[in-house]
Amino acid sequence: MHDFKYKNNRMFCEGVDIADIAKKVSTPFYLYSYSTLLGHYQKLVSAFRLKRPLICYSMKANSNLALCRALVKKGCGLDIVSGGELYKALLAGCPPKKIVYASVGKTEEEIRQAVAKEILFFNVESASELELINKVAKDIGKNASVSLRINPDVEPKTHAYITTGKLTNKFGLDLDTARQILRHKDKFSHLKFKGLHIHIGSQIIDAKPYAQALKKILAFIDKLKKDGIGIECLNIGGGLGIIYNEERPQTAKEFASQVLPALRKTSLKIILEPGRFIVGNAGILVTKVLYLKKTPLKNFVIVDAGMNDLIRPSLYGAYHEILPLNRKPETGNRKPEKVDVVGPICESGDFFAKDRQLPKVKEGDLLAIMSAGAYGFSMASNYNCRLKAAEVMVKGNSFYMARKRDSYLDLVRKDMIPEFLK
Ligand code: PLP
C-alpha cells in the first residue's frame, strides 16, 4: 500500500532511513514517498484503462508543487478550487486544458484568470455563477467551457463534514434546475456546455453510492438527449477512501468494476478527480516526543507537531496510526500503554490520538503519524504563531526538500503597523 516500511526495526521511506532525514531537517516535517504517490496514480490509470479517463488530481488534498509536478509529468491533470490553486497548477506545469475548476464561490477575478487561461472546464455550481462566467468571457472576448455540477442526492456514508452530494449540502445543482439551464443554454452566448460533474463526498469506502449516483446521472443524460441536448463529458469526481485504521476501502479495481460497465456503454469522455486516494498514504508527519506527562487520569505524550500541522483528528475526530520510527529502542522496553498523543497548542482539541495503546515511548523519540499526505499540510496554519512544517520528498535512496520550514520572518512578513502606532 505504501513505501514506509521497517527495516531492522527502523522505519524507512523507500530506501532512506527516516531518522536520518529528521537529523538534517529537524521536526516536525511532512515526508512524501514519490513511488507511493505515482503508484496510486498508476493504480487508477490501469483500473480505468479501458475508458482512458483524464485523471485530474484534486490539489486541495495537497498542493505542494513538487508533488503536483510529479503527477503532471506523468500526464495527470489537476482539479482546482481557487485562483491560488490555478496559480500553483500552472507553476506545476499543468497544461490549462487539463485543469477543471470547481467551487461554489468563485470570485469574478478568479473566473477572469481561469477564462483567460482557457482551462478545460468550470464545474459550475449555481445559475448565478453561469451568468458571471458568461459575462466575464464576453468581456474578454473568449468562450468558456462549462460542466454543470449535479447534486445527485445520494448518501455516501462518510463524515457529515465531507458529504457533498446530498440536497442539504451547498454543492451543485439539482436535476430540475440543471435541466432548465440546459434547455435555455443558448442565452449564454460565450459558454460551451460540454459536460456534467458529480462529486458526492470524500473518504468513501464503498463503491455503491457512486454506482447509485452514476445511475441517476446517466438517466439524466438520456433525458437530456430526448430534449436534444448532447453531453460530451462526465466528471465522476473524487472521494475514494483510503486505509487509516481498519476500514477496507474499495480498491481502484473494485471501484472501476462498479462504474466502468455503465460508462463503457456510452461515448462519454470521463474525468476523475481523486485527491486523497493518490496522496493520502504517500505522506506521513514526523514528530518528536517533547515530554511525557502523567496526571492522575491520563498519560500524555506531548509531541512537537500540533493541530496547526494536521487538523484532521481535531476537526473530524479522524484516526491516524502512530508508529515509532525506531521500533526497538536501545534501552527500555516497548510494553504498550494507553496514552493521549497531544501537541503543544493551547486547545484541548489539539490531539493526534486519545486513549491509544502505543508501544512505550520516551522523550526524544521520533514518531510517524501515518496516512497524513492528504488534507495534512494543505490544511495547516500558523495558529499559535507556529511555523509551518517542512515538506520533504523521497525518491529511491535520496531525499529532497519540497518546502522549507517557515521562518519567524514568514510570520510577520505581511503584518503592518499603522502610522498612528509607530
Ligand atoms: N473534487 C471535488 C469537487 C472536491 O470537493 C473534492 C474534495 O472535497 C475532491 C474532488 C477530492 O476528494 P478526495 O480527496 O476525497 O478524492
Side-chain angles (χ1 to χ4, degrees), residues 77-113:
L78 295 173
D79 159 47
I80 63 166
V81 283
S82 68
E85 284 193 352
L86 174 62
Y87 177 75
K88 288 187 84 172
L90 297 170
L91 266 186
C94 189
K97 280 290 172 240
K98 286 188 177 177
I99 295 177
V100 292
Y101 185 177
S103 161
V104 288
K106 305 172 185 84
T107 66
E108 181 163 348
E109 188 46 36
E110 288 175 319
I111 290 171
R112 191 175 303 281
Q113 291 157 7

Side-chain angles (χ1 to χ4, degrees), residues 307-340:
M307 65 190 279
N308 72 300
D309 297 302
L310 177 65
I311 203 173
R312 299 188 67 257
S314 315
L315 190 61
Y316 314 122
Y319 181 97
H320 285 268
E321 191 177 15
I322 300 179
L323 297 171
L325 287 194
N326 182 357
R327 216 162 36 174
K328 197 161 173 244
E330 294 73 28
T331 57
N333 65 55
R334 281 279 188 227
K335 220 172 114 228
E337 56 178 8
K338 201 190 264 184
V339 297
D340 279 16

Side-chain angles (χ1 to χ4, degrees), residues 56-61 79-81 100-103 123 125 149 161-162 164 171 197-204 210 235 237-241 272-279 374-375:
C56 292
Y57 163 66
S58 193
M59 282 182 84
K60 64 179 80 62
D79 159 47
I80 63 166
V81 283
V100 292
Y101 185 177
S103 161
N123 292 327
E125 310 230 13
R149 178 167 179 178
Y161 289 5
I162 47 178
T164 56
F171 302 98
H197 169 226
I198 45 175
H199 171 75
I200 57 176
S202 195
Q203 185 55 15
I204 302 169
Y210 286 100
N235 180 338
L240 298 174
L272 304 179
E273 46 182 31
R276 191 188 309 269
F277 180 85
I278 292 181
V279 76
Y375 307 100

